Amino acid sequence: MSAASDCPLCRPEAHEATTTRVAGHAQLRVVRVLDAPGFPAYYRVIWNDHVAELTDLSSSDRARCLDAVCTVERVLRNGASPTKVNLASLGNVVPHLHWHVIARFDWDSHFPQPIWGTAQRPPDPARLAALNGALTRIDDAMAKALT
Amino acid sequence: MSAASDCPLCRPEAHEATTTRVAGHAQLRVVRVLDAPGFPAYYRVIWNDHVAELTDLSSSDRARCLDAVCTVERVLRNGASPTKVNLASLGNVVPHLHWHVIARFDWDSHFPQPIWGTAQRPPDPARLAALNGALTRIDDAMAKALT
C-alpha cells in the first residue's frame, strides 16, 4: 500500500476528531464528517492508497471506488430523502483521492449553492435535529450495504 | 429518451451561448464551459436523458457516463498538466445529471478553494492566455478520445 508521510488521509488517526468511521476494507473506507454541522448527512469515501486522481486507479479499482460512492448515495437517498445528492472529488487541499457525498436539502443553509459557496439562509435547528436523529440508522444501513 | 420540458439541459440550444460542444453520442455529450473565464479548462459531461442522480442510471449506463468523465480527466491531465482535476456532480440548480470536470492550477484565482468558494487572489492574465491558447488542441484530443 502506498502512503505519503505528509498526507493526513494516509494517517486515519489524523482525522479521528472530525470524522467517524462507518465502514471500510483493505482498499477504501467510508467516514461521516462531523465538522460541518450545517450538513449532517455528509460522508466521504476515501481510497486507502495514496493516489491523487480518479484516473490514477486501474479500471477495476475505479469501479470499486465508484461502486462505494454509489452505495453511499443510495443509502442516503433511502434514509434521508434529500432534495439532491452532491458528489465531488476535489482534493486541492489534500491531493489524496476522496469523494464527498453530501445529502442536500432545499431548506439547508446553502441550497442551491454548493456547500463551499455562499450561505443562502440561517440554519434550521429543528430540521437539522431531525436529520441528526436519523444518522445512526443511516450509518448502520451504510455499513451493512458496504460489507 | 426522457426529457423534462422545463429543464435547460434537456434543450441543448438553451446553453449554446455559454458552452461549446466538444463531443457526444446518443447517451451523453461533452461541452466546454465558456462563462467561467477564470477557469478556461472547464468541461461538463451531460447525460442526455433527464435523470437527476448517478444512481438513477443502470450500472452499464453509469459505467459509460463515468468512463466519459475519466476520458475528459485524462485528456485534461495530458493537455494542460493541471495541479489537480476537480470532479463534481451537484445539480442543485438543474437536477439533470451532469459532471463538472475542471482543470485546477495552483495559480488560479480560487485555488485551493473549489471554484464555488472564495477567491484567493486576482486572476493571472498571462497564464490564463496560455491556457486559453491550448484549448483547441485539448478539445480536439477530447473529441478524438470520446469517439
Side-chain angles (χ1 to χ4, degrees):
Chain A
M1 176 177 149
S2 73
S5 59
D6 58 348
C7 172
L9 289 184
C10 287
R11 290 178 292 114
E13 69 281 8
H15 54 94
E16 262 173 10
T18 54
T19 60
T20 185
R21 184 184 175 95
V22 175
H25 51 63
Q27 289 181 291
L28 61 84
R29 59 196 189 271
V30 175
V31 301
R32 178 159 50 78
V33 173
L34 303 177
D35 58 350
F39 309 99
Y42 179 172
Y43 293 78
R44 284 196 195 111
V45 177
I46 303 167
W47 192 253
N48 287 336
D49 264 354
H50 186 76
V51 297
E53 305 284 10
L54 184 61
T55 51
D56 288 329
L57 297 184
S58 69
S59 65
S60 60
D61 280 351
R62 199 194 321 148
R64 186 153 202 183
C65 181
L66 292 166
D67 278 352
V69 170
C70 286
T71 299
V72 172
E73 174 175 298
R74 210 173 280 117
V75 172
L76 277 181
R77 293 179 74 182
N78 288 340
S81 302
T83 308
K84 190 70 189 67
V85 178
N86 287 180
L87 307 175
S89 170
L90 306 175
N92 303 330
V93 177
V94 181
H96 174 133
L97 183 63
H98 60 285
W99 282 89
H100 305 271
V101 186
I102 313 157
R104 299 295 310 276
F105 298 88
D106 55 12
W107 51 260
D108 77 35
S109 57
H110 286 55
F111 198 90
Q113 287 297 306
I115 68 162
W116 306 281
T118 310
Q120 306 294 303
R121 64 192 65 81
D124 183 326
R127 281 165 152 155
L128 285 170
L131 182 55
N132 271 297
L135 293 176
T136 304
R137 206 176 55 241
I138 293 170
D139 286 358
D140 289 348
M142 208 174 282
K144 202 171 162 186
L146 286 160
T147 49
Chain B
M1 178 178 148
S2 73
S5 59
D6 58 346
C7 172
L9 290 183
C10 287
R11 290 178 292 114
E13 70 281 7
H15 55 93
E16 264 172 10
T18 54
T19 61
T20 185
R21 184 185 176 95
V22 175
H25 52 63
Q27 289 181 292
L28 60 84
R29 60 195 189 271
V30 175
V31 301
R32 179 159 50 77
V33 173
L34 303 177
D35 58 350
F39 310 99
Y42 179 172
Y43 293 78
R44 284 196 194 112
V45 177
I46 303 167
W47 192 253
N48 287 334
D49 264 354
H50 186 76
V51 298
E53 305 284 9
L54 184 61
T55 50
D56 288 329
L57 297 183
S58 68
S59 65
S60 60
D61 280 350
R62 199 194 320 148
R64 187 152 200 184
C65 181
L66 293 165
D67 278 352
V69 170
C70 286
T71 298
V72 172
E73 175 175 298
R74 211 173 279 117
V75 172
L76 276 180
R77 294 179 73 181
N78 288 340
S81 302
T83 308
K84 190 69 190 66
V85 178
N86 287 180
L87 307 176
S89 170
L90 306 175
N92 303 330
V93 176
V94 180
H96 174 134
L97 183 63
H98 60 285
W99 282 88
H100 306 270
V101 185
I102 312 157
R104 299 295 310 277
F105 299 89
D106 55 12
W107 50 261
D108 78 35
S109 56
H110 287 54
F111 198 90
Q113 286 298 303
I115 68 162
W116 306 281
T118 309
Q120 306 293 304
R121 63 192 67 81
D124 183 326
R127 281 167 151 154
L128 285 170
L131 183 54
N132 271 297
L135 292 177
T136 304
R137 204 175 58 240
I138 293 171
D139 286 358
D140 288 349
M142 209 174 282
K144 200 170 163 188
L146 285 160
T147 51

